[in-house]
Amino acid sequence: MSDYAVMAGRSVRLSRRNLDAVITSLVLPVLLMLVFVYFFGGAIETNTGKYVTYVAPGVLVLCAGYGASMTATSVTNDMTTGIIDRFRSMDTRGTAVLAGHVAASAVRNAVATAAVLAVAFAIGFRPQADALAWLAALGILLLYIVTLTWLAAAAGLLARTPEAAGGFTFFVLFLPYPSSAFVPIDTMPSWLHGFAENQPVTPVIESMRALLLDQSAGDSPWQALAWCVGLLVVTVPLCSVLFRRRTR
């Protein structure tokens, strides 16, 4: 366990030194929420009162994508700068190195989530959740962050350059848009409904929205858990295999 703790501490310190990326992951989601609320919110009908009430859970998921996407480039940097050879000479487990990046992503996202929630409250977000519902909503968000970060780690292991790993950023930032993050799915073209309703982001957002607004969540939490756990079951072993292949 000491390997995991040391690698987690190292990844957190590396994140602190990369201030440009950290500031971007904090500022961009907040700016996007302000743009949607004040530029487009008046034209979007969601039946939730203020538009910020509807959009805040979606922005939190988008924020998770920004934070997790940094992991792909961080892992690629590790694989291409020779630091992994030093770790191997010290008999450090590859899974510990990757888990360190996942821990750093969770810390980054915790800070970003707090910033987004603070701004959301300032502009009128008023959730109706009790303490248990808050814990459930944040637990689903944390599970989504961990899942997305392991996917980012796999992308970082597959990429040969940090620039190529940055392509993962486009994928994770695009995924919330064809979902219920910013507009109800029934307002989208009919040919898009199938994808929007059956992709992993939608049940995560719907679960958080229902829990925070004290509404019926239906089977969305179970769908969110199934997506996240299923992806983790595939991605974590895949990362281990990819790491061994890259370090032979």
Side-chain angles (χ1 to χ4, degrees), residues 172-196:
V172 297
L173 298 186
F174 171 78
L175 203 54
Y177 290 95
S179 74
S180 61
F182 304 110
V183 296
I185 291 175
D186 58 14
T187 65
M188 299 178 183
S190 57
W191 56 266
L192 191 56
H193 287 186
F195 177 79

Side-chain angles (χ1 to χ4, degrees), residues 48-57 124-127 209 213:
T48 57
K50 291 184 177 181
Y51 180 62
V52 66
T53 302
Y54 181 88
V55 80
F125 179 52
R126 297 294 182 268
R209 186 176 287 135
L213 301 183

Side-chain angles (χ1 to χ4, degrees), residues 124-237:
F125 179 52
R126 297 294 182 268
Q128 306 298 318
D130 56 20
L132 187 60
W134 267 104
L135 286 175
L138 294 177
I140 290 173
L141 180 62
L142 178 60
L143 180 61
Y144 174 74
I145 289 168
V146 171
T147 302
L148 200 58
T149 305
W150 277 107
L151 282 170
L157 290 168
L158 288 169
R160 297 296 172 177
T161 65
E163 291 77 15
F168 182 77
T169 303
F170 173 79
F171 169 75
V172 297
L173 298 186
F174 171 78
L175 203 54
Y177 290 95
S179 74
S180 61
F182 304 110
V183 296
I185 291 175
D186 58 14
T187 65
M188 299 178 183
S190 57
W191 56 266
L192 191 56
H193 287 186
F195 177 79
E197 292 172 350
N198 297 286
Q199 60 132 316
V201 172
T202 295
V204 172
I205 293 171
E206 290 296 322
S207 300
M208 293 179 60
R209 186 176 287 135
L211 288 166
L212 293 178
L213 301 183
D214 194 23
Q215 299 173 349
S216 173
D219 59 355
S220 291
W222 298 111
Q223 292 179 19
L225 289 173
W227 269 109
C228 291
V229 172
L231 288 171
L232 282 174
V233 168
V234 173
T235 307
V236 175

